[in-house]
Amino acid sequence: MLMLTGSQKVRLLTFREIPECVNSVELPGLSDAVAHLSADCVFFENHYLQSVGLNAVFGGPPEFEWLSLLEQLVVESGRTVSVVFHGELSAFNEFRSHFPSCFDLQFVSTEHACVRNGISPEKLVALQKSDFVWLHCDVSAADFESDLEFATVFNEQIAFGQQLDGEVENLLFITSLNGTSETDVPEFESLLFEGLVRVPLWAKGFQLPPRRIQVISGSYDLAFTISQCLSIRAIPAGGVVGEAIPPSDDSPLDLRKLCSLPVTIASRALIIRTPGATAIRTDEFLFVRAASADGGTDGNVALYAKPRDVWNLNDVSSQYMELVQEFGLRLN
């Protein structure tokens, strides 16, 4: 039984992009790194970006204003939030404009292969004491000459994230803010390529043995979980935060709780928004409506049977017309 403790420190490590086809023979170094990480973590195999880029973490109205909740925790509860950006200075200037002044922001140039090399011992101590540390590495495999180079950076950043534990093991989440393009399968057509919205999510510190979670999860679940971990409140005698399932099946869930839910009662209906399409992912289907030229709601639609249709290639909307209509009305 998963026991959820009270207020808990959290570390979030994100990359601009992690190649989806990590088991490809063309990416042996990264494949090995990912396999090792998956064997040592709780691995959410069906994790979806509900928005892309920074909004995948922040959320946005009307779905989930996580950034505002974090700011509220800092102002009202004295929580400390540190954000470290590892990338180019021009990208950092845009990145930091999204954060309130009560967050501690640090910049580490890509001149340092690993964030550890760009942070002083004093800053490291401060990060270890911080309640929430978000380390964003604005890099992808495409920035390196070989996947082995990216795998080395990938492993070093993970090691640094674990180094921020201090004396106890905190929660550590590892994921990416963007999916991958559909260039790997150019001969096929899909209204929404799976790799654009499905990304890996690993978690350590769940007080659980390493395992794979196949129930679908979303990036707003991650935001919600972080806010729950940082909240100061009494924990029920049973040790579980939020005993009841949220009233709406698209409401965010605590990922710690999701690990202990029977699949039969963890039905989800995740709303996914990308620049080119809006979608609903349920246990059995992915409904997609492409953006129309005028931004209206009359774009092309498709329905893909999940998880059988891995890459969203076989449109079965003609077989489930009532369901297509229901999904369409929901998105409206």
Side-chain angles (χ1 to χ4, degrees), residues 98-128:
H98 297 277
F99 294 91
S101 58
C102 58
F103 289 12
D104 177 39
L105 266 72
Q106 300 182 44
F107 169 71
V108 177
S109 170
T110 50
E111 293 177 359
H112 303 283
C114 178
V115 172
R116 177 191 295 110
N117 301 328
I119 294 183
S120 67
E122 295 77 16
K123 286 289 188 180
L124 177 59
V125 171
L127 289 176
Q128 289 175 332

Side-chain angles (χ1 to χ4, degrees), residues 34-241:
V34 166
H36 178 76
L37 184 62
S38 300
D40 193 41
C41 295
V42 174
F43 178 38
F44 293 86
E45 293 187 298
N46 292 292
H47 185 70
Y48 287 83
L49 296 173
Q50 294 181 262
S51 187
V52 295
L54 291 179
N55 287 339
V57 178
F58 291 161
E63 295 87 8
F64 194 66
E65 294 184 317
W66 174 61
L67 190 62
S68 298
L69 289 177
L70 271 183
E71 184 177 7
Q72 182 180 352
L73 285 170
V74 172
V75 174
E76 298 182 0
S77 304
R79 289 304 189 201
T80 50
V81 173
S82 299
V83 181
V84 181
F85 181 91
H86 181 220
E88 300 295 334
L89 182 59
S90 57
F92 172 66
N93 291 332
E94 165 62 19
F95 183 82
R96 67 179 177 182
S97 67
H98 297 277
F99 294 91
S101 58
C102 58
F103 289 12
D104 177 39
L105 266 72
Q106 300 182 44
F107 169 71
V108 177
S109 170
T110 50
E111 293 177 359
H112 303 283
C114 178
V115 172
R116 177 191 295 110
N117 301 328
I119 294 183
S120 67
E122 295 77 16
K123 286 289 188 180
L124 177 59
V125 171
L127 289 176
Q128 289 175 332
K129 294 180 179 179
S130 186
D131 294 304
F132 173 55
V133 178
W134 178 11
L135 167 59
H136 177 59
C137 299
D138 194 40
V139 297
S140 70
D143 298 324
F144 298 86
E145 293 184 0
S146 71
D147 86 296
L148 290 174
E149 291 185 24
F150 179 68
T152 299
V153 171
F154 183 75
N155 285 327
E156 287 181 348
Q157 309 294 32
I158 292 171
F160 178 72
Q162 294 173 319
Q163 183 183 354
L164 297 178
D165 279 349
E167 298 180 356
V168 297
E169 184 179 40
N170 301 306
L171 275 180
L172 170 63
F173 295 101
I174 304 164
T175 189
S176 64
L177 300 186
N178 298 280
T180 56
S181 69
E182 61 271 32
T183 53
D184 294 323
V185 284
E187 65 272 27
F188 298 114
E189 292 186 3
S190 173
L191 284 189
L192 182 60
F193 181 64
E194 183 81 354
L196 284 174
V197 291
R198 182 176 169 184
V199 298
L201 171 65
W202 296 275
K204 292 179 67 69
F206 268 26
Q207 304 174 26
L208 288 171
R211 61 181 61 182
R212 292 175 178 264
I213 305 298
Q214 296 186 341
V215 177
I216 59 174
S217 60
S219 55
Y220 295 160
D221 293 334
L222 177 58
F224 180 71
T225 303
I226 292 171
S227 67
Q228 292 291 291
C229 293
L230 297 176
S231 296
I232 303 175
R233 60 177 181 168
I235 302 301
V240 177
V241 177

